[in-house]
Amino acid sequence: MPTASPPPPQATADGDAGVPPWRLLLAYARPHRWALLAGALLGLLTGATGLALPLVAKALIENLADDKGIAGPLILMSLLVLMNAVIGALGGYLLRRTAESVVLGARRRLTSYLLRLRITAMDRSEPGDLMARVTSDTTLLREVTTEALVGICTGGLTLVATLAMMGWTDPVLMGVTLGVMVLAGSLLGVIVPRISKATKRAQESVGLMGAALERVLGSLRTVKASGAELREERAVHAAAEDSWRQSVRAAKWEAIAGNTAGLAIQIAFLTVLGVGGARVATGSIGVGTLVAFLLYVFYLMGPIQQVVGAVMQYQTGSAAVRRIQEAHRLPAEPVAEPAPLPGPDQPPLSLAFDGVRFRYADDLPPVHHGVTFQVPARGMTAFVGPSGAGKTTVFSLIERFYEPTAGRIEVDGRDLGDWDLARLRASIGYVEQDAPVLSGTLRDNLLLGNPTAGEDEVRQVVTTTRLGPLVERLPDGLDTLVGHRGTKLSGGERQRVAIARALLRRPRLLMLDEATSQLDAVNEAALRDTVAEVARTTTVLVVAHRLSTVTLADRIVVMDAGRVRAVGTHGELVAQDALYAELATTQFLAAAESGADGVGGAGGVVGLSGSSTPEHVG
């Protein structure tokens, strides 16, 4: 299997003013230069056998005219035809195989780069468009490698050799043919830029169509529940129709260019036939010379079409390379080997925010306005406050998904920016708010953060997170496929899988973002006890919307409108902070009403934001 090649040179931020597309194409092809050279030489050899045929045909006709034997020329012609077919097939296979290797290398580089993209870059990008760059845009490199890079060399050399042979056969007829070719070339010079523009728009529209389709398929249940199938269908169809229009426009200009070359050959043939016939009649040349020259005119069509095709494929390939390079210019995290997970003897991490300010984009309002708090190593710290207070953003900054615009974050006494990114994340277990589960088996999901975990560790964490009944119920146990985004699991089951995945990493810092919001009371209580046990030996941060979780915390950070209002225990904050007291009182009242209705107990269903959220049994 081909090895991954080094990344191509990066274009500058202004795109077209940077590295020219032909240099980028050469960079993709450079690792395979010897295979391409061999294919090009085989192509030239194929052309050489073709060029020899008219000369043999001329000798055959002259032998017939002079009553000489024709067995030798016939055998030679047969051998040339056979060699042409065999060498052409071998060269074609070698070039196609090399082209596939170029595509593979481009896909490897691009997918590796996209997996390292910063979250800020993903926030500004459409996943469907990025997928189109990996699939359709890289596929275009297959044709451009053989048609453009090799075709323009072999076709150009063959064209020059053919013209030289025509000039050697008869300079007058050569001049006539060359005049027709110059006229056709002038017309192609007008058409080619239009092909380039239309091709680029066509590829951009394919990316937009992919983005529209990914948007719908990624939220298909929501679309169906909203009765929005027809509206979304029209949006996807509109994107597909725009792609069709742009592709048809490109096809129109390509067809005009191809037919211009064919028309030039026909005009050249008729002109040569007329002028050549007159020269035969005057005795300037013989019939054999005219036949040989006409064969050269016919043979000229091959290299001309090859060169024209190479130019058109270059336009397509250059647009594809520009789109691939645009993806390579997105900000990405540095390449790093996976860091080892913490050992059992490593201490928990401490944490400190000092005047941290942050906004997600320059055109968006700030999320944090000078956030300051300290979390000692070991114990549980809960973050509470209304929605939009900036609680989840705290976790994103710790994971370095984003960088603060001002202030300082310290982890274990070191500035966050001084940490090796892989080692930092290896020390953290993070359960996101929506507890995503990947397509694959249940075991794949559990081992995602620690693929070397032993069977005993897996069994222990399954028991700890109360996943045992689920594993027993599934037809293939841990090896059961969970479906796209875990659709075969309930919301509560997905949350428990996410918690188990984080615990398997043996983190020095565990972050749980509303990690029990979809659990029933029994499972929530069990996992709450598990988290409390983990907090004895590690640092646990919890974004909590439930009072039952908050009251177990060693300290509570109350956030409001991007600021820290207060820090303390539950009892201290009820007495000292009006917002926390109001949220706590609201929850107690709601819990009491729920208990009176026989629905739930204290802290069961109401978030600290003051909004009721139905319980999803997991």
Side-chain angles (χ1 to χ4, degrees):
M1 180 176 289
T3 57
S5 48
Q10 298 294 304
T12 58
D14 57 357
D16 294 343
V19 179
W22 65 266
R23 285 187 58 190
L24 296 173
L25 288 172
L26 287 177
Y28 280 108
R30 188 174 295 116
H32 314 280
R33 56 187 177 276
W34 298 116
L36 287 173
L37 180 60
L41 290 175
L42 289 173
L44 289 174
L45 189 56
T46 303
T49 58
L51 286 174
L53 281 172
L55 295 178
V56 178
K58 177 184 176 183
L60 177 65
I61 293 173
E62 290 174 347
N63 284 0
L64 284 172
D66 297 339
D67 252 352
K68 294 181 180 179
I70 61 172
L74 282 176
I75 293 174
L76 183 56
M77 286 185 69
S78 301
L79 288 175
L80 287 173
V81 169
L82 182 60
M83 287 176 59
N84 188 279
V86 172
I87 297 173
L90 182 60
Y93 165 75
L94 183 59
L95 289 177
R96 285 181 177 84
R97 187 180 186 279
T98 305
E100 292 294 345
S101 299
V102 171
V103 173
L104 174 61
R107 286 175 175 168
R108 281 176 169 176
R109 284 191 296 269
L110 187 53
T111 51
S112 297
Y113 193 84
L114 293 181
L115 288 174
R116 298 196 309 274
L117 284 184
R118 296 190 181 277
I119 299 299
T120 51
M122 286 301 303
D123 291 343
R124 299 193 300 266
S125 305
E126 291 284 355
D129 181 56
L130 294 178
M131 286 189 289
R133 296 172 197 247
V134 175
T135 53
S136 62
D137 287 335
T138 55
T139 300
L140 293 174
L141 295 178
R142 179 191 301 124
E143 284 75 20
V144 78
T145 302
T146 54
E147 296 289 338
L149 293 182
V150 176
I152 205 164
C153 295
T154 59
L157 289 174
T158 305
L159 179 61
V160 171
T162 304
L163 291 174
M165 294 298 293
M166 294 171 77
W168 179 73
T169 303
D170 188 84
V172 175
L173 295 180
M174 160 65 179
V176 172
T177 305
L178 198 59
V180 176
M181 294 298 102
V182 170
L183 180 60
S186 302
L187 293 175
L188 289 174
V190 177
I191 296 172
V192 166
R194 299 177 183 271
I195 296 175
S196 176
K197 184 182 296 186
T199 301
K200 182 178 180 181
R201 289 177 178 173
Q203 289 169 242
E204 289 174 349
S205 62
V206 169
L208 294 175
M209 182 182 67
L213 189 59
E214 191 275 338
R215 171 179 176 270
V216 176
L217 296 181
S219 306
L220 192 57
R221 294 188 180 193
T222 302
V223 171
K224 288 182 176 293
S226 303
E229 292 97 328
L230 289 178
R231 292 196 301 276
E232 294 299 329
E233 178 185 308
R234 284 194 291 269
V236 175
H237 284 185
E241 288 167 6
D242 184 60
S243 174
W244 173 82
R245 280 193 297 270
Q246 301 298 341
S247 298
V248 167
R249 185 175 289 117
K252 176 186 69 176
W253 291 112
E254 288 175 3
I256 292 173
N259 279 280
T260 298
L263 180 62
I265 293 296
Q266 294 178 32
I267 293 174
F269 175 79
L270 293 175
T271 306
V272 167
L273 186 60
V275 175
R279 286 174 63 76
V280 169
T282 60
S284 300
I285 59 174
V287 175
T289 300
L290 177 59
V291 170
F293 200 95
L294 289 174
L295 287 175
Y296 277 126
V297 172
F298 274 117
Y299 188 76
L300 199 62
M301 180 174 288
I304 286 179
Q305 288 183 333
Q306 193 174 16
V307 171
V308 171
V311 172
M312 290 190 292
Q313 288 294 341
Y314 172 76
Q315 302 303 324
T316 301
S318 62
V321 167
R322 285 194 184 100
R323 281 175 48 80
I324 294 172
Q325 288 306 111
E326 285 172 3
H328 276 290
R329 289 198 301 272
L330 294 174
E333 296 169 347
V335 180
E337 291 294 325
L341 295 176
D345 57 337
Q346 290 191 280
L349 296 174
S350 61
L351 177 70
F353 273 51
D354 183 12
V356 172
R357 297 178 180 273
F358 173 73
R359 66 174 72 206
Y360 284 101
D362 293 338
D363 56 345
L364 294 177
V367 178
H368 283 172
H369 303 268
V371 171
T372 301
F373 63 84
Q374 291 186 347
V375 176
R378 198 174 287 104
M380 183 191 301
T381 300
F383 293 82
V384 301
S387 297
K391 304 182 295 295
T392 297
T393 303
V394 169
F395 288 6
S396 296
L397 291 174
I398 295 171
E399 282 275 10
R400 287 188 65 186
F401 295 153
Y402 305 96
E403 301 292 339
T405 53
R408 179 181 175 89
I409 302 175
E410 290 186 355
V411 174
D412 211 24
R414 293 169 54 195
D415 187 275
L416 192 64
D418 295 336
W419 276 79
D420 175 76
L421 192 57
R423 187 170 294 278
L424 171 71
R425 290 177 181 167
S427 304
I428 299 174
Y430 182 27
V431 180
E432 299 170 63
Q433 195 171 78
D434 54 355
V437 173
L438 279 66
S439 178
T441 66
L442 182 57
R443 186 187 302 276
D444 293 337
N445 277 276
L446 293 176
L447 297 178
L448 184 66
N450 184 8
T452 61
E455 196 66 28
D456 290 341
E457 289 181 274
V458 174
R459 274 199 299 267
Q460 181 180 351
V461 81
V462 165
T463 302
T464 299
T465 54
R466 300 174 72 88
L467 283 170
L470 169 66
V471 174
E472 293 173 2
R473 189 170 69 248
L474 294 174
D476 296 317
L478 289 173
D479 297 313
T480 302
L481 295 173
V482 297
H484 178 61
R485 298 187 180 180
T487 53
K488 295 182 181 179
L489 304 178
S490 70
E493 288 165 350
R494 288 196 294 272
Q495 285 191 322
R496 278 178 279 161
V497 169
I499 294 172
R501 184 168 59 209
L503 293 177
L504 267 178
R505 288 171 64 82
R506 303 184 299 272
R508 302 172 64 191
L509 172 64
L510 178 64
M511 301 191 301
L512 307 172
D513 193 352
E514 299 186 59
T516 61
S517 61
Q518 298 190 55
L519 298 183
D520 59 81
V522 175
N523 282 312
E524 183 197 359
L527 281 176
R528 198 166 56 238
D529 293 342
T530 297
V531 173
E533 183 64 29
V534 171
R536 297 178 188 274
T537 57
T538 191
T539 307
V540 178
L541 307 182
V542 182
V543 171
H545 280 181
R546 292 187 176 185
L547 195 63
S548 55
T549 302
V550 175
T551 53
L552 292 177
D554 299 294
R555 70 199 56 79
I556 302 166
V557 178
V558 183
M559 298 189 67
D560 183 27
R563 292 182 172 85
V564 175
R565 285 179 54 99
V567 179
T569 64
H570 172 67
E572 293 169 348
L573 292 173
V574 167
Q576 298 173 7
D577 187 74
L579 174 62
Y580 183 85
E582 179 184 356
L583 296 174
T585 302
T586 302
Q587 190 171 83
F588 274 133
L589 291 173
E593 292 170 2
S594 298
D597 291 337
V599 176
V605 295
V606 180
L608 275 177
S609 61
S611 60
S612 297
T613 55
E615 194 76 353
H616 297 277
V617 177

